[in-house]
Amino acid sequence: MPIRSVAVPPDVALERLGDTVRRIKGESPLTPVTVVVPTNATGVTARRYLGAHGGIAAVDMLTLYRVAEVLGGPALAAAGRQPVSTPVIDLSVRAVLRDRPGSFAAVADHPSTVVALRDLHREIRQAGPDAPRKLAESVRGREAANISTQVTDRLRAWYDEGDLIVAAAAAAESQPLPSQLQRIVVFLPHSLKGGEVALLQALAQHADVELLVASTGHHAVDRQLTSMCALLGAPVTHPAGQPSSKPPVQLVSATDADEEVRHAVRMVVDSARTGVAFQRMAIVWPADQPYARLVEHHLNAAGIEWNGRPGTTVAERVAPRFLLDLLDVDRRGLRRRDLFDLLADLPLRGPNGRSSVHRWERVSRDAGVTKDTDWKPRLNRYAAGQRQRALADGEATSRRADDADELLHFLTDLRRDLGHRGATRRWDEWADWSVHQINKRLGLGFIRSLGPTEQMALDHTSRVLDRLKSLDSVSGPATRGEFRAVFAAEFDMAPGRQGRIGSGVTIGSVSGAVGLDVDLAIVLGAAEGLMPGSPSSGPLISDADRERAGLELSDAVSLRLHRQFLSVLAAAGTVVVTRPRGDLRATSVREPSRWLAPLGITDSHTLPSHHAALLNTAFPVHDSEYRLRRRLAGATVGLLTATSPDVVGDDVLIDSLALRAARRGDTFTEYDGDLTNLNLVHFERPIAPTHIESWVSCPHAFFMKHLLGIYAIEEPGDQMEISSADRGNAMHEALDRFHREVIAGQLPQPIGGWSHEHAVRLLAIFDEVADDYEATGRTGREASWVVEREDMRVDLAGWILTDSENVARLGLTVASSEASFGDDGSVTLPLANGRSIAVKGKIDRVDRTADGALLVVDHKTGKIDTYKDITEALPTSASTLFQLPAYAAGAAHLLNSGDSPVRAEYSFFSRGTYRRIGYLFTPEVWQQVSSELAEVVDGIESGLFPALPDAPGFQLWAKCIYCQPDELGTAERHSEWLAKRADPRGARWFSGDAEDDHDGNSHDGDDLDDLSGAPS
């Protein structure tokens, strides 16, 4: 019998289905009819509609695949064949690639190659028996066809969708059909592959087959279905009828996907308040990313029941995620970052009950661990260093050393469990190993404590592992990577539906909305790149190959989505389409979908911002949104203050309001650096001169760093090159060891200048220091370190040449190196007001001249810019630099110089720059230093610690991480600072040019005394 195809408008599709079923049944309501539906959800919707509009009996709602199971399943089962699974296909593809990879040899081991070939194999199998032969007619398609044919040969004991369709078609042709399959209505088919076309044609030989295809009225969109029906030999007929009238589509423009979903949930609530039942509403989207998760979470937050596929996949739950991470943790070697991604899920506790992970993370970071080979040597070195420090401080043990040992013990156990990555095990052994690891490292009690959803994910994981045990009959032993790939493939499918269809709001993709029967449909994501999605073609074969083999072309997905989108617009009572103007995740602008313009939408409005949308919300969707809107409205009209009735009792909000008001004011407050009420005592202990300088640079940074002890965390794995601080420290250490050998007599004093022997020894010492820094992970990536290390050697070689000239000219001998002074308060600097403050530090080098004078040298490996204005008339460069005065006083104290003259100099040597800047300390210089130091000391003791951010503008990096911890600019903080400068209390110290840039609280990062106050 010929197949009939009838076009039906989407808005009356269910009604036409009812008419068709009743017409087929005629006067006999119990005549069996089968309705072939595209999805089970469509079948449930259709059954409920027919039941509510006249009732139905003897009507089966089946997918075409289920029809094939009814017809072809018995024959396949009788032949002893069982359904194939994704892991079995993957294993077969891997085996073929291993034995006969052909042109895929170079990428045969890559997981994406297996996935691409597996997906293409499935397409070929569903396209019909002739598809491999047709595909092999091209050079490019021949290799893919050969792989698919070999996989099919390996799976003779199994059956897939293609086998089932072929068996069903054979059964339909050779034997009488069951009564329920003698009258078939194919309802709103998405598309029909070659095998499915053959099955329907076989059914039509003994059954009445009629197709109801959705007609959108858009010729280019409907062409895909027209072509499909032509393959069936069933040209589409268009019954005459009046077009239905629908309310116009409403378009909403939102800032981004998050705001789209918020607005959608608000519309759901508003519609419910007007009497629309939740089960008569739907929210659909073109792409799961990012909408599936957002819709799930926002509906849950609003307490609104929903049904559909959740955005959170099973693989994201703790048990499967842990196992996937564990199996892959050493894929690129056991890197620090990958290990702690894994440990983030583990409930690890030390012997004292404290959480271990954060302590292990800290010690491994401090030890400089980045890659696999770093763990043992660097943790052992770190632990030894910590124990030496503890002994020097008179402590018997070191907690951090114990943490390092504990981490090493854990790693040893983990490596033993993992074994060699290339080692193989039987599939059942891998499954048992996985269960053991879950029990050992997570524990059932921990998973149960996370709630029923996580327990369901664990149960699903257990079922998957049980299924994988059967693969020993398919494949030989597998490596850990192969086992993981197959395990992951079991979780690639979309998560199962949650909720019951008809209970709550229906959510899902546009493609799953076929046959939708709702009063309100909200379509998200009407933007280019989402609707339609970015064009893509298969990585293995061209569109010409696809067309030849009867496979879908690359634009088929876009055409199908367009048809489904138009069907949703036509089928729902009221339709709201939202589009995002931007993507905050990708920081990009989104253009509206090209599919919107032909719709001629006139009812549209824009949500300017989350702020505006929240203010204009008629009925907030949950308590927190209600409170936020009420307080936002109060703030907008100036009624939200710390004493407002709505605020009383909310300490967090009260503090926030106080902070906002204070920072927007024109006087210093406790929220922006005014700590005068605390009466802080700053100089009861010796202070390093660089700490004093840091207050001048940025008082806020001084407060955060030196009073609170807050330091930026540096991730070793992110370090591309040696930091400026470590570069300077390495140069200082090499010079210190060199000078100490001179002082100890192991090398001669440089009488008349440094010799070739000195130069050779200095570079040898530097190589030892550089090796040590490299071993502790402080040199960044190897490629940059090779270049930087040679540059540092060149700098040292240049330094010894230029320093030799100075030594010879002045007849210098080295008196001390890296000498510490002032820890006991014995070194003081006088202030102009008669007071004095104790200072401490380390002096890089002190020389004696031939006439007995002292020459203090502070080595600098950074830029000279900050220091170039230093003279005897400006010894502290306008009250910003105090190292030389402190070091001069320290040297005089250490070497008992008495009244001997002291000269102090900065010695610059870096990247070809060799220069000395300094001055002789005369009474006039000391008087100037005392006056300028007193000014800074008064500033510190004033209790004012405001941030001094740079003016907004282009920046390659954040000069002061304390002024802009997010490193996103200083616009807001700078405007606040401009207002604060009017406060007369700070005019004495902060009345300079507001556009002046501070230097980021660090001159060159190589001063060892600046590290003396840092937490160990």
Side-chain angles (χ1 to χ4, degrees):
M1 288 179 280
I3 300 175
R4 298 183 300 280
S5 296
V6 180
V8 296
D11 56 329
V12 294
L14 290 170
E15 181 181 342
R16 294 291 185 271
L17 174 63
D19 294 342
T20 302
V21 170
R22 284 188 288 272
R23 173 173 53 78
I24 292 173
K25 286 179 173 288
E27 299 298 325
S28 178
L30 297 181
T31 299
V33 176
T34 293
V35 178
V36 175
V37 290
T39 66
N40 289 321
T42 303
V44 173
T45 300
R47 179 177 294 281
R48 290 179 177 174
Y49 180 89
L50 296 181
H53 294 78
I56 57 171
V59 175
D60 288 335
M61 301 285 181
L62 303 176
T63 63
L64 193 56
Y65 183 76
R66 178 60 186 142
V67 171
E69 282 186 323
V70 171
L71 292 174
L76 294 172
R81 301 175 70 178
Q82 53 183 324
V84 71
S85 63
T86 297
V88 172
I89 300 176
D90 283 354
L91 288 176
S92 299
V93 172
R94 289 178 187 277
V96 171
L97 288 173
R98 183 175 58 249
D99 297 342
R100 298 179 62 185
S103 60
F104 298 106
V107 292
D109 294 331
H110 199 285
S112 62
T113 305
V114 176
V115 172
L117 286 169
R118 173 237 295 167
D119 293 342
L120 180 58
H121 169 73
R122 281 178 164 165
E123 282 192 82
I124 294 171
R125 294 291 297 156
Q126 294 176 33
D130 290 339
R133 177 183 57 79
K134 294 177 180 178
L135 183 60
E137 292 176 3
S138 73
V139 175
R140 185 174 178 181
R142 187 174 303 125
E143 289 287 348
N146 288 339
I147 295 288
S148 178
T149 301
Q150 292 178 65
V151 170
T152 302
D153 291 339
R154 286 178 173 270
L155 296 176
R156 292 299 182 189
W158 309 76
Y159 70 84
D160 58 13
E161 294 93 335
D163 291 316
L164 193 60
I165 293 291
V166 170
E173 292 175 347
S174 62
Q175 61 189 36
L177 293 175
S179 59
Q180 68 268 29
L181 291 178
Q182 293 177 6
R183 300 163 191 83
I184 298 175
V185 179
V186 182
F187 182 58
L188 305 183
H190 282 309
S191 62
L192 294 175
K193 302 177 178 63
E196 294 169 332
V197 169
L199 174 58
L200 287 177
Q201 289 175 332
L203 287 170
Q205 295 180 24
H206 305 287
D208 183 15
V209 179
E210 183 170 343
L211 272 67
L212 298 181
V213 296
S215 174
T216 65
H218 191 296
H219 175 71
V221 173
D222 290 343
R223 186 178 62 230
Q224 190 180 39
L225 284 178
T226 303
S227 300
M228 178 188 72
C229 293
L231 290 175
L232 287 168
V236 180
T237 60
H238 295 267
Q242 292 294 326
S244 59
S245 62
K246 286 180 76 283
V249 174
Q250 181 185 131
L251 177 63
V252 177
S253 170
T255 54
D256 64 322
D258 298 74
E259 194 58 33
E260 282 184 278
V261 177
R262 292 190 194 100
H263 183 70
V265 175
R266 290 172 190 147
M267 292 199 68
V268 166
V269 172
D270 289 343
S271 296
R273 293 173 62 232
T274 63
V276 180
F278 285 134
Q279 60 265 31
R280 299 293 301 167
M281 305 182 203
I283 302 176
V284 296
W285 52 80
D288 285 347
Q289 294 294 337
Y291 293 104
R293 192 187 305 273
L294 289 174
V295 172
E296 174 191 353
H297 289 181
H298 280 284
L299 286 175
N300 287 342
I304 297 174
E305 186 180 6
W306 55 270
N307 72 87
R309 297 192 182 278
T312 305
T313 64
V314 178
E316 294 175 282
R317 301 298 179 183
V318 169
R321 184 174 73 240
F322 157 73
L323 194 53
L324 287 167
D325 288 346
L326 176 64
L327 290 165
D328 203 37
V329 69
D330 59 348
R331 181 168 64 89
R332 291 170 288 186
L334 193 56
R335 303 190 309 174
R336 178 178 177 274
R337 191 188 302 273
D338 294 334
L339 176 68
F340 284 98
D341 284 345
L342 169 70
L343 296 186
D345 284 331
L346 302 187
L348 296 173
R349 291 286 184 272
N352 55 6
R354 292 183 300 130
S355 175
S356 299
V357 175
H358 78 280
R359 294 184 288 112
W360 292 353
E361 191 279 334
R362 181 167 184 172
V363 299
S364 62
R365 172 164 37 86
D366 291 346
V369 174
T370 57
K371 57 183 184 296
D372 197 336
T373 55
D374 294 343
W375 290 104
K376 188 173 182 178
R378 293 186 180 178
L379 285 176
N380 281 332
R381 180 191 294 266
Y382 175 82
Q386 291 295 316
R387 289 194 171 93
Q388 289 178 358
R389 179 178 295 184
L391 289 174
D393 294 339
E395 299 176 3
T397 61
S398 167
R399 179 173 60 84
R400 293 194 179 177
D402 293 340
D403 291 340
D405 291 343
E406 186 182 318
L407 174 55
L408 268 178
H409 177 75
F410 173 85
L411 286 170
T412 301
D413 177 66
L414 179 63
R415 289 184 189 275
R416 183 171 52 248
D417 281 357
L418 289 173
H420 189 276
R421 184 167 181 83
T424 59
R425 293 180 180 176
R426 289 170 51 86
W427 290 91
D428 59 345
E429 291 175 346
W430 276 122
D432 292 339
W433 180 90
S434 300
V435 172
H436 173 70
Q437 291 299 318
I438 291 174
N439 293 336
K440 174 182 178 179
R441 303 194 183 278
L442 287 178
L444 298 181
F446 170 70
I447 295 177
R448 291 192 182 102
S449 70
L450 299 178
T453 304
E454 294 293 348
Q455 181 63 46
M456 291 172 59
L458 174 63
D459 294 341
H460 181 71
T461 302
S462 298
R463 290 192 295 270
V464 169
L465 292 174
D466 285 340
R467 288 200 298 270
L468 296 186
K469 289 183 179 181
S470 65
L471 296 183
D472 283 314
S473 62
V474 181
S475 170
T479 64
R480 179 153 44 89
E482 291 169 341
F483 176 79
R484 183 192 184 276
V486 174
F487 177 77
E490 286 278 8
F491 291 91
D492 282 345
M493 63 189 72
R497 290 186 64 91
Q498 289 188 14
R500 183 172 174 269
I501 297 175
S503 297
V505 179
T506 297
I507 68 172
S509 65
V510 173
S511 61
V514 177
L516 194 66
D517 179 30
V518 293
D519 296 327
L520 170 66
I522 303 172
V523 184
L524 308 172
E528 290 295 314
L530 295 170
M531 189 187 293
S534 301
S536 63
S537 58
L540 302 178
I541 57 176
S542 67
D543 262 3
D545 295 328
R546 288 181 163 275
E547 185 174 20
R548 184 181 299 107
L551 307 180
E552 282 192 336
L553 303 183
S554 58
D555 65 346
V557 174
S558 176
L559 286 171
R560 188 159 55 245
L561 177 62
H562 196 179
R563 183 175 70 251
Q564 291 157 346
F565 169 63
L566 294 176
S567 296
V568 170
L569 300 189
T574 299
V575 179
V576 178
V577 178
T578 68
R579 78 167 188 90
R581 298 192 297 275
D583 183 351
L584 297 184
R585 293 165 177 81
T587 61
S588 62
V589 175
R590 284 200 179 278
E591 297 298 327
S593 171
R594 71 194 74 169
W595 297 344
L596 296 177
L599 299 177
I601 299 175
T602 57
D603 182 7
S604 65
H605 68 278
T606 298
L607 305 178
S609 64
H610 173 61
H611 176 118
L614 187 60
L615 276 178
N616 294 320
T617 298
F619 195 88
V621 299
H622 47 71
D623 290 347
S624 62
E625 186 169 282
Y626 172 72
R627 289 193 301 271
L628 182 59
R629 190 196 65 159
R630 185 174 57 183
R631 290 167 179 175
L632 181 59
T636 302
V637 298
L639 298 179
L640 188 65
T641 65
T643 58
S644 301
D646 186 44
V647 175
V648 174
D650 191 334
D651 294 338
V652 174
L653 181 57
I654 291 173
D655 290 343
S656 300
L657 291 171
L659 181 149
R660 186 180 68 170
R663 287 191 171 173
R664 292 179 177 178
D666 57 3
T667 60
F668 292 121
T669 70
E670 62 193 90
Y671 296 103
D672 39 47
D674 182 3
L675 305 182
T676 54
N677 293 334
L678 297 183
N679 298 317
L680 298 175
V681 179
H682 294 280
F683 298 101
E684 59 180 356
R685 292 178 296 180
I687 186 171
T690 49
H691 293 191
I692 298 174
E693 295 171 358
S694 70
W695 183 87
V696 179
S697 176
C698 181
H700 176 64
F702 173 91
F703 170 72
M704 297 291 287
K705 187 175 182 180
H706 302 304
L707 297 186
L708 298 185
I710 297 175
Y711 289 78
I713 293 177
E714 296 183 359
E715 175 61 45
D718 294 338
Q719 188 172 336
M720 301 298 294
E721 59 186 18
I722 187 171
S723 67
S724 59
D726 279 331
R727 187 184 195 277
N729 291 340
M731 303 281 265
H732 276 69
E733 187 175 341
L735 289 172
D736 177 40
R737 289 169 56 178
F738 171 70
H739 290 139
R740 288 183 185 275
E741 290 188 6
V742 172
I743 295 169
Q746 296 171 269
L747 291 172
Q749 285 283 353
I751 305 302
W754 298 109
S755 67
H756 177 70
E757 176 189 3
H758 289 110
V760 170
R761 181 56 186 154
L762 173 60
L763 294 181
I765 290 174
F766 169 75
D767 286 337
E768 295 171 5
V769 172
D771 290 342
D772 183 64
Y773 270 63
E774 186 175 345
T776 54
R778 300 159 67 184
T779 55
R781 303 293 173 86
E782 183 177 356
S784 64
W785 171 234
V786 169
V787 176
E788 189 65 32
R789 177 169 176 160
E790 184 58 30
D791 287 346
M792 294 166 70
R793 282 177 57 88
V794 171
D795 286 344
L796 284 173
W799 169 85
I800 202 167
L801 288 175
T802 56
D803 193 67
S804 182
E805 298 173 0
N806 199 51
V807 167
R809 180 171 55 84
L810 299 175
L812 300 178
T813 57
V814 181
S816 73
S817 176
E818 294 296 345
S820 297
F821 68 90
D823 288 329
D824 56 358
S826 57
V827 178
T828 61
L829 292 180
L831 306 180
N833 55 17
R835 291 175 55 199
S836 63
I837 62 169
V839 293
K840 65 177 181 178
K842 283 186 177 181
I843 309 173
D844 291 348
R845 188 175 106 186
V846 181
D847 295 336
R848 284 192 185 276
T849 65
D851 57 4
L854 297 183
L855 177 60
V856 177
V857 179
D858 185 33
H859 299 302
K860 294 294 181 185
T861 60
K863 293 183 179 180
I864 200 172
D865 302 7
T866 307
Y867 305 85
K868 61 185 179 182
D869 295 331
I870 288 180
T871 63
E872 291 186 4
L874 294 171
T876 66
S877 188
S879 303
T880 60
L881 301 172
F882 293 96
Q883 285 177 285
L884 294 187
Y887 294 167
H893 174 79
L894 290 173
L895 300 178
N896 297 314
S897 65
D899 295 330
S900 298
V902 178
R903 180 178 176 83
E905 296 179 342
Y906 292 114
S907 173
F908 292 90
F909 62 100
S910 176
R911 310 187 191 284
T913 299
Y914 304 98
R915 182 177 170 187
R916 284 178 176 251
I917 298 176
Y919 47 85
L920 180 67
F921 277 86
T922 63
E924 293 76 18
V925 169
W926 277 117
Q927 183 178 0
Q928 181 74 7
V929 169
S930 298
S931 175
E932 294 176 351
L933 180 59
E935 190 75 2
V936 177
V937 168
D938 287 348
I940 294 174
E941 292 184 331
S942 72
L944 297 177
F945 301 96
L948 306 183
D950 296 333
F954 175 77
Q955 60 179 28
L956 290 174
W957 64 87
K959 293 183 180 179
C960 178
I961 196 65
Y962 300 99
C963 285
Q964 47 171 326
D966 57 4
E967 301 187 48
L968 296 179
T970 61
E972 184 176 0
R973 300 212 73 174
H974 189 261
S975 63
E976 292 173 352
W977 167 236
L978 292 179
K980 298 296 177 185
R981 292 178 65 252
D983 191 329
R985 292 180 298 161
R988 177 179 170 187
W989 302 281
F990 312 123
S991 60
D993 185 355
E995 301 303 315
D996 286 346
D997 290 345
H998 68 66
D999 63 0
N1001 196 36
S1002 176
H1003 300 304
D1004 62 8
D1006 62 356
D1007 296 309
L1008 298 182
D1009 66 325
D1010 193 32
L1011 304 179
S1012 59
S1016 60

